[in-house]
Amino acid sequence: MSNEVGVQPSGPVTVDVHTMGRTFDESAVDRWELEAARRALRNLKTIAGGQVMMDLLAEPIDAGDRFHKALVEASGGTYRESRTEFTVRGLGGTELADWFRSQAGTGRFRDKTLLLDAHPEHYVEPPTYTGGMVETIGGHLTRFKVSVADELPPPVRAFLDGSFPVTLMNALLSLDDGTPFAYCLHQARDTATGADVVVRVVYPSAAPDSMIEGHCQHLAIEFRSWIRNAAAATR
């Protein structure tokens, strides 16, 4: 086909960008766009944080409460896991656990910025909680409390993997009225080059596949951020 001006090429369209004598490909523009989106989101969370955000999200949060209570009731005390694993180089599992416990050993992040920035869908830390979050779970805005779980119900404890001896955190997630609806089981092990990490949220067994798979992606985004935070803190 002719390459005359005005004739559309038959192959994929690519773009190079030229700024002040420098040339960048589209991967650079993608990176700039992501950084801009993060800045915009951070600004919005700062301006409309705390109780303002809670008031704005009140109705969808109430719908989320009903959704999760229905899953708990339908599951009859049985569970399934949403699990994501990481191969980490340059940071040990013990180092990660030390950092994680220093930040969230009580269920509440010491540095709230690290909590809110870890995922775009971490909307707000409820101001009346000593530890918790409003985030999207299963397509529903969910307000929950986080508390360290020293004792796990046997069906939940069964998901722990003995080949990961380092505990990052075992936590109970409960709704505003105290209804337990999920558990966090986060583990690691040291390797010759760094760490293997497995993080899981154990949900009622009636949770749909889309919710389980979606939260695997949530965990991937969230914990990659925290692994990077931990690495930066140990340098």
Side-chain angles (χ1 to χ4, degrees), residues 2 11-12 55 93 100 113 124 130 137 139-140 147 160 165 193 207:
S2 170
D55 292 342
F100 203 83
T113 301
V124 60
T130 57
I137 301 176
H140 293 264
S147 57
L160 289 170
T193 57

Side-chain angles (χ1 to χ4, degrees), residues 26-133:
E26 290 187 73
S27 66
V29 181
D30 289 341
R31 186 176 67 252
W32 298 340
E33 183 179 30
L34 178 58
E35 291 170 353
R38 287 172 173 164
R39 287 194 301 270
L41 187 57
R42 188 178 299 115
N43 288 337
L44 289 173
K45 288 179 179 179
T46 300
I47 293 168
Q51 192 58 47
V52 173
M53 182 73 80
M54 296 296 298
D55 292 342
L56 288 170
L57 302 178
E59 289 188 14
I61 286 173
D62 288 344
D65 283 350
R66 294 191 293 271
F67 170 77
H68 290 290
K69 287 180 181 179
L71 291 183
V72 171
E73 184 176 355
S75 299
T78 59
Y79 299 89
R80 62 184 304 198
E81 64 176 354
S82 180
R83 183 183 71 249
T84 298
E85 300 183 30
F86 301 83
T87 301
V88 181
R89 289 169 289 277
L91 179 73
T94 301
E95 291 177 295
L96 177 60
D98 289 343
W99 178 87
F100 203 83
R101 282 193 293 267
S102 75
Q103 280 294 333
T106 63
R108 181 185 181 94
F109 258 71
R110 194 163 45 84
D111 185 343
K112 187 167 68 173
T113 301
L114 297 180
L115 178 61
L116 290 174
D117 287 353
H119 196 287
E121 291 180 304
H122 286 183
Y123 289 95
V124 60
E125 187 178 25
T128 58
Y129 288 3
T130 57
M133 180 50 56

